[in-house]
Amino acid sequence: NLQQPHGDQLPRYVRVNTLKTTVEDAVDYLKRDGFSYLGQACRLEDLSLKDRHFVRDLHLPELLVFPPKTDFHDHFLYKAGHIILQDKASCLPAFLLHPPPGSQVLDACAAPGNKTSHLAAVMKNRGRLFAFDLDAKRLATMSTLLLRAGVTCQQLANQDFLKVDPDGPQYRDVEFILLDPSCSGSGMVCLRDNSSADQDKEKARLSSLASFQLRCLNHGLRFPRLKRLVYSTCSIHRQENEDVVAACLQQNPSFRLVPLLAQWPERGLDPLPQCLRADPTKTRTHGFFVALLEKHSEAEDGKQ
Ligand code: SAM
């Protein structure tokens, strides 16, 4: 599809790792390195950059935005873990969950760990961050990434999240969960496949992913002290996004959706406008979906 921007036409997003530096110091370093800083972006159009210009993002305070294809893989700030190369949409889950320093947090499907390292930064490395993944190789990559990022509050386990016992004594104080389960990846611009692949196969794959995602979501809500859970996918399919969340809310009436970022331009599909969607045209990111579920407080339940 020639109308859709390709992956390499999206801005290069750089998350400043506040465990190692500050946005101000990173900006100063980059200016001395020959980039020219245009200040804080105010509109989406300000994210269309060229010629070594860069800005601070309009929605996410720790995000810097560069022209497409700017390569930081050999840059000192990247190698030293001061910056993380992460698409803007994928920075939303940890930013929106916002666990306070000192809290107990669980990242259910965590590898390779960019969102885990973002959570640790939000927590200022204080508290405990349980992170699970089924894939040992991806978990090994994640250990390296977390080491480079200076994360110290994590407890990694090569384990099936669906087999983690929510009533286990070590999880009794978990109040925040980030759930970013395996999905079709249909939002990744570079992976988009417009060929008419076997449609029956694709349907079966989506429905098996959606039922896995719903099981994970229901499992997450079973942690006894849970306050908030953020659910995200890099899928553009309603079946893996709004449909999963709607089914889960129906099965768990003590949870409700938190309305997210009023100023974000793309909302969840009807009837879930509280959720966010992202895509190359409307948000200049890969395709993405985020929902934030919150437990009704007992005080409020008493009033009802
Ligand atoms: N959150 C990660 C990040 O930001 O870097 C990306 C996660 S990726 C979309 C999904 C991950 O879920 C994969 O690494 C996969 O191995 C893992 N996974 C799949 N099934 C799982 C399960 N039952 N329990 C734990 N992890 C699982």
Side-chain angles (χ1 to χ4, degrees):
N1 183 346
L2 293 173
Q3 310 292 301
Q4 285 280 352
H6 295 292
D8 62 7
Q9 291 168 359
L10 291 175
R12 157 59 71 199
Y13 292 104
V14 164
R15 177 168 64 78
V16 175
N17 177 14
T18 53
L19 291 177
K20 291 224 160 171
T21 185
T22 61
V23 174
E24 289 69 25
D25 283 354
V27 166
D28 279 348
Y29 191 100
L30 289 157
K31 279 175 20 188
R32 274 184 271 118
D33 201 32
F35 289 96
S36 68
Y37 182 53
L38 305 182
Q40 165 93 48
C42 303
R43 307 160 309 153
L44 204 60
E45 293 71 39
D46 297 341
L47 307 186
S48 297
L49 296 156
K50 51 186 180 166
D51 301 336
R52 287 178 81 80
H53 289 161
F54 74 111
V55 294
R56 197 164 171 172
D57 185 59
L58 64 163
H59 298 106
L60 298 167
E62 276 130 30
L63 203 65
L64 302 176
V65 192
F66 292 81
K69 291 193 270 190
T70 309
D71 189 2
F72 283 103
H73 287 94
D74 288 324
H75 197 277
F76 164 77
L77 292 182
Y78 174 70
K79 288 185 170 166
H82 289 208
I83 59 171
I84 314 276
L85 306 179
Q86 188 172 355
D87 184 51
K88 174 172 173 174
S90 118
C91 296
L92 288 169
F95 172 74
L96 295 170
L97 187 64
H98 224 83
S103 55
Q104 305 256 327
V105 183
L106 188 154
D107 190 348
C109 296
N114 274 340
K115 296 183 192 75
T116 319
S117 102
H118 193 185
L119 283 171
V122 174
M123 295 162 69
K124 301 190 192 314
N125 252 341
R126 300 210 295 271
R128 192 168 317 158
L129 177 49
F130 299 100
F132 301 99
D133 205 281
L134 206 49
D135 185 324
K137 243 177 149 178
R138 285 169 69 93
L139 209 64
T141 309
M142 173 160 170
S143 289
T144 314
L145 189 145
L146 296 185
L147 187 69
R148 188 171 60 206
V151 175
T152 53
C153 60
Q154 81 279 26
Q155 195 168 306
L156 302 192
N158 183 199
Q159 202 177 328
D160 182 346
F161 171 61
L162 292 170
K163 297 203 176 123
V164 174
D165 176 10
D167 296 312
Q170 64 275 50
Y171 308 122
R172 59 190 299 165
D173 293 323
V174 168
E175 291 180 324
F176 301 91
I177 294 183
L178 188 150
L179 172 63
D180 182 45
S182 300
C183 72
S184 60
S186 53
M188 300 302 293
V189 180
C190 38
L191 295 183
R192 270 187 202 167
D193 176 8
N194 295 317
S195 66
S196 52
D198 185 333
Q199 294 215 340
D200 287 343
K201 249 195 193 162
E202 185 56 18
K203 258 192 186 161
R205 176 170 168 256
L206 279 185
S207 108
S208 128
L209 281 166
S211 82
F212 163 71
Q213 291 151 353
L214 180 57
R215 282 173 64 210
C216 288
L217 199 41
N218 282 333
H219 192 68
L221 299 191
R222 287 184 47 210
F223 284 74
R225 299 257 165 86
L226 184 73
K227 284 185 174 157
R228 282 150 84 97
L229 180 150
V230 73
Y231 173 76
S232 59
T233 74
C234 56
S235 163
I236 54 172
H237 296 300
R238 173 185 194 106
Q239 210 179 334
E240 297 179 89
N241 297 330
E242 289 85 353
D243 288 357
V244 168
V245 172
C248 171
L249 288 170
Q250 208 164 38
Q251 293 166 25
N252 297 275
S254 57
F255 284 84
R256 64 175 167 212
L257 285 173
V258 179
L260 298 174
L261 296 181
Q263 66 277 32
W264 188 262
E266 201 183 0
R267 315 302 309 179
L269 302 178
D270 256 359
L272 303 185
Q274 302 94 326
C275 305
L276 303 183
R277 276 186 168 247
D279 81 10
T281 319
K282 293 201 191 127
T283 58
R284 307 265 156 103
T285 65
H286 287 280
F288 206 78
F289 173 83
V290 198
L292 183 62
L293 287 79
E294 173 183 71
K295 193 161 198 167
H296 295 249
S297 75
E298 279 161 26
E300 268 179 275
D301 285 347
K303 274 191 247 149
Q304 283 165 2

